Amino acid sequence: NAEYMGAFAQIPEFMSIDQSKVVKIFSVILILFSFALCISSFVTAKQCYVKPCFEGDGQDMLWSIDGGRSFHVVFLALVCFVHSITAYWILFKIAFDELKYGMLVAKTIILALALFTQAVYYGQQSTLLAELKDHLAGTAFYENNKYCVGNETTCAGNGHSCTWVPAFDSCQRTMYVNNDTRSKFDAVTAFSVLLSIFQLTFAFLLVLWKAQFTSQTSTTPDRIPSQSRVSFAVPQTQVQQQQQQQQRYANDFQDGEDSTVSYQSDNLRL
């Protein structure tokens, strides 16, 4: 029975979790996924729903990711990337600060919600392209274009995706649904969802395991990080240097007093 009790007593040791290591792994994952979202956002910006793109005034904005939406998706991806690097820096590279820690948790939750809304939007855009392709059923969109002129014989020879359309009895610019754009939308949607989930989980862990990063509630910025969450030599802070200097002064003063007492004793003996 004693052996069984000893074995059960050791179970918590095996089931213990290195909290700082788990948070560090989450931080690295967030950096990698944020970088992937940046790449996806760069290639998604200014993409057209059809190929080739509409060229008419206003039509080119309706049938593409226009400048405003391009700025939004790129800007949010860059903010996520910077936030992930900043989170790692705050947690593992500098002294603990209550204000910085609280702001980190709040920003993580806000970014998670923003990423979720972005995932919903680009998922809907991907569905839109799929519905347009089904609606066309192998046909195309047509546009009156200044480059598409001529008759049935000369229409297709000008190099601007022009086709003679008997239904319109005219030369029209022919455009098909851009499947490449849909795949880019799917990538932005996937990385946004993953980042949203990991950001929320990351924020939950920071709230749950706050004691791992500070042993007491303090806003003193010069308190060094816990040794369990750093793997580098922490430089001495100004407060520590002052304390050591004061200790040296005290030792020198004590040595001086001992010398004076010894000198007085010698004089008395003389």
Side-chain angles (χ1 to χ4, degrees):
N1 293 334
E3 294 179 357
Y4 287 120
M5 293 298 295
F8 282 117
Q10 294 178 357
I11 290 179
E13 298 180 1
F14 289 103
M15 296 180 62
S16 62
I17 299 176
D18 190 340
Q19 298 174 0
S20 62
K21 184 177 293 185
V22 172
V23 173
K24 184 175 290 187
I25 292 174
F26 265 84
S27 300
V28 174
I29 291 175
L30 289 178
I31 292 174
L32 294 177
F33 279 163
S34 298
F35 180 75
L37 181 61
C38 285
I39 300 300
S40 300
S41 66
F42 293 157
V43 299
T44 299
K46 303 298 291 183
Q47 287 294 305
C48 299
Y49 295 171
V50 292
K51 186 177 182 179
C53 300
F54 268 100
E55 294 182 352
D57 295 339
Q59 295 284 346
D60 56 341
M61 299 178 66
L62 286 174
W63 290 83
S64 68
I65 301 298
D66 57 22
R69 289 183 292 174
S70 296
F71 172 80
H72 177 270
V73 66
V74 172
F75 180 76
L76 185 58
L78 291 176
V79 168
C80 288
F81 185 67
V82 173
H83 171 76
S84 301
I85 296 177
T86 304
Y88 188 90
W89 177 70
I90 290 175
L91 294 174
F92 301 103
K93 295 298 183 181
I94 65 172
F96 175 83
D97 184 87
E98 190 80 23
L99 178 62
K100 291 186 179 69
Y101 196 88
M103 292 178 63
L104 174 62
V105 174
K107 289 189 296 183
T108 302
I109 296 175
I110 293 173
L111 273 178
L113 297 177
L115 287 166
F116 179 74
T117 59
Q118 177 171 272
V120 172
Y121 175 78
Y122 280 94
Q124 185 270 336
Q125 296 299 300
S126 177
T127 304
L128 171 65
L129 291 182
E131 294 292 334
L132 286 175
K133 186 175 181 180
D134 292 340
H135 174 71
L136 290 175
T139 59
F141 291 105
Y142 302 104
E143 179 189 37
N144 288 322
N145 192 281
K146 62 182 179 180
Y147 298 108
C148 296
V149 294
N151 53 32
E152 186 175 359
T153 304
T154 61
C155 177
N158 53 21
H160 290 277
S161 301
C162 299
T163 305
W164 181 262
V165 183
F168 301 131
D169 195 27
S170 64
C171 186
Q172 299 282 322
R173 194 160 184 261
T174 306
M175 294 160 293
Y176 299 92
V177 174
N178 194 342
N179 291 321
D180 294 337
T181 298
R182 185 187 175 190
S183 64
K184 295 178 177 64
F185 289 170
D186 291 337
V188 171
T189 302
F191 286 121
S192 297
V193 169
L194 289 174
L195 268 174
S196 177
I197 295 173
F198 274 99
Q199 293 276 21
L200 285 177
T201 307
F202 185 64
F204 175 76
L205 294 179
L206 291 181
V207 174
L208 184 65
W209 293 341
K210 181 181 178 182
Q212 175 66 23
F213 297 93
T214 173
S215 58
Q216 59 182 358
T217 303
S218 172
T219 57
T220 305
D222 52 9
R223 185 158 53 84
I224 63 173
S226 171
Q227 291 296 326
S228 63
R229 67 184 181 95
V230 294
S231 58
F232 57 92
V234 180
Q236 292 182 337
T237 63
Q238 185 177 0
V239 174
Q240 287 179 313
Q241 293 175 357
Q242 290 177 354
Q243 291 176 349
Q244 292 179 358
Q245 187 175 8
Q246 291 175 358
Q247 184 65 36
R248 286 196 297 269
Y249 288 158
N251 294 336
D252 294 341
F253 180 76
Q254 184 66 35
D255 293 340
E257 284 189 342
D258 293 343
S259 300
T260 302
V261 172
S262 177
Y263 176 74
Q264 290 176 352
S265 300
D266 293 340
N267 286 339
L268 290 175
R269 286 196 296 270
L270 292 174

